[in-house]
Amino acid sequence: MQNNNSPLVEVKSLKKYFPTGGGVFGAGGDTVKAVDDVSFSIRRGETFGLVGESGCGKSTTGRCILRLIEPTAGEVNFEGQDLLALEARALRHMRREMQIIFQDPYASLNPRMQVGEIIAEPLVIHRVGTGRERKGRVGELLELVGLKPEHAARYPHEFSGGQRQRIGIARALALNPRFIVCDEPVSALDVSVQAQVVNLLQDLQERLGLTYLFISHGLSVVEHISTRVGIMYLGKLVEVAPSVAIFRNPLHPYTRALLSAIPVPDPDLRRERLPLVGEIPTAIEPPSGCRFRTRCPLAEAQCAEVEPPLVEIEKDHFVACHLVGKVTSDQ
């Protein structure tokens, strides 16, 4: 029997660099270090939340894990098997175990295909079942996500945004995967609908034993759904900890600044804001040492000279900061 605490997915020193071009035929251009030496693990049955500002590399990380984008370097293990070493045929077979829910339910569904065809497409590609069996499976999946089997004959434009995302979830579940990358699956939806979709994802996780990588910039949603959380800044992980620890005892200055920006629903309560100052750097020429130092209110000379490693400060609480002691003493 597999240990539920053992990692299902292990990411080791993952890198993804994009050449920007610039010279003749694209030669001599700069390099965008979108993901730069990122390591973490995802345990069976948990939801690992990956959080950061737009452009920090979190979506690129998720797509590299699935090899929708080929990584520049690193290792991605699924149950101990290196996905980056798999050739096309073996990778195609492994894709049954790993799926993705995309951010935009308007753009991720083919408007020219009926909903039944969209959901059945993974079954057709992987040659699973007969035509009748696929039709039955589509009906099951639609009911599983809160829709009706007769919706299979409709087109995406006939549904609301929340319903379209349910269709996207049904498609991701078609092959009975064990691991799903949720790439900002609720950010394009109304707030009231977001809660419904998040509750659906949690219900499906419990019923089907799913493991999630939940990518988002919405901290309130991440707090609600995640078991553990990784905070990402400019291609690097700066803090990784259980969700409770991140939201009750953040140790990295960037994490504290993000949490201070969460709106408080009570007009009589005020949260102390920790505004970030300084220029926002780019992933083409990231700052030396700590990448957050140009915006950090605590930065010292050593922060510009030495890149802080991600180290365990407390049990299961990892932080990349030279000044973590000062952060905790200032709280």
Side-chain angles (χ1 to χ4, degrees), residues 213-228:
L213 171 62
F214 192 91
I215 298 167
S216 179
H217 59 262
L219 287 164
S220 299
V221 174
V222 169
E223 181 180 16
H224 182 70
I225 195 172
S226 298
T227 313
R228 289 186 302 133

Side-chain angles (χ1 to χ4, degrees), residues 70-270:
E70 287 296 330
T72 302
E75 191 174 324
V76 178
N77 293 320
F78 185 87
E79 289 197 316
Q81 187 170 17
D82 185 4
L83 298 181
L84 306 189
L86 295 180
E87 297 191 3
R89 185 171 182 178
L91 179 62
R92 180 187 176 114
H93 180 76
M94 186 62 74
R95 289 200 189 281
R96 296 189 182 195
E97 305 285 350
M98 307 175 297
Q99 292 293 315
I100 185 170
I101 301 168
F102 294 100
Q103 173 180 356
D104 188 351
Y106 295 91
S108 62
L109 304 179
N110 189 332
R112 298 183 179 183
M113 295 176 66
Q114 291 182 337
V115 165
E117 295 173 314
I118 291 171
I119 296 174
E121 190 173 24
L123 303 173
V124 174
I125 291 172
H126 288 270
R127 300 177 182 176
V128 176
T130 63
R132 173 177 286 185
E133 290 170 340
R134 291 168 188 162
K135 184 176 180 180
R137 176 63 174 158
V138 167
E140 292 173 2
L141 289 165
L142 285 169
E143 290 185 321
L144 188 62
V145 299
L147 298 175
K148 298 178 180 179
E150 53 264 34
H151 287 157
R154 298 184 183 178
Y155 289 88
H157 73 268
E158 300 179 66
F159 296 88
S160 67
Q163 290 175 321
R164 291 188 198 190
Q165 196 60 291
R166 289 173 185 267
I167 295 166
I169 293 170
R171 176 177 59 186
L173 295 173
L175 295 169
N176 291 314
R178 287 183 289 163
F179 174 59
I180 297 180
V181 173
C182 305
D183 188 7
E184 302 204 42
V186 298
S187 64
L189 305 177
D190 292 339
V191 174
S192 60
V193 180
Q194 287 183 9
Q196 296 173 18
V197 173
V198 168
N199 289 338
L200 172 63
L201 289 171
Q202 290 182 305
D203 178 61
L204 292 171
Q205 182 175 43
E206 185 175 342
R207 293 173 63 179
L208 304 176
L210 298 170
T211 301
Y212 293 145
L213 171 62
F214 192 91
I215 298 167
S216 179
H217 59 262
L219 287 164
S220 299
V221 174
V222 169
E223 181 180 16
H224 182 70
I225 195 172
S226 298
T227 313
R228 289 186 302 133
V229 177
I231 306 295
M232 201 165 180
Y233 181 80
L234 208 62
K236 295 273 190 182
L237 279 174
V238 298
E239 188 163 2
V240 178
S243 181
V244 172
I246 286 285
F247 287 91
R248 292 186 182 176
N249 184 33
L251 297 181
H252 196 281
Y254 178 60
T255 308
R256 297 183 69 203
L258 286 180
L259 294 178
S260 76
I262 299 176
V264 179
D266 188 338
D268 296 326
L269 294 178
R270 291 186 178 274

Side-chain angles (χ1 to χ4, degrees), residues 310-326:
L310 192 68
V311 296
E312 190 171 18
I313 304 299
E314 302 170 353
K315 180 174 172 56
D316 293 331
H317 198 149
F318 297 82
V319 185
C321 180
H322 295 303
L323 308 174
V324 67
K326 178 174 288 190

Side-chain angles (χ1 to χ4, degrees), residues 15-30:
K15 297 181 180 181
K16 179 57 184 178
Y17 297 168
F18 293 99
T20 62
V24 178
F25 303 114
D30 295 316

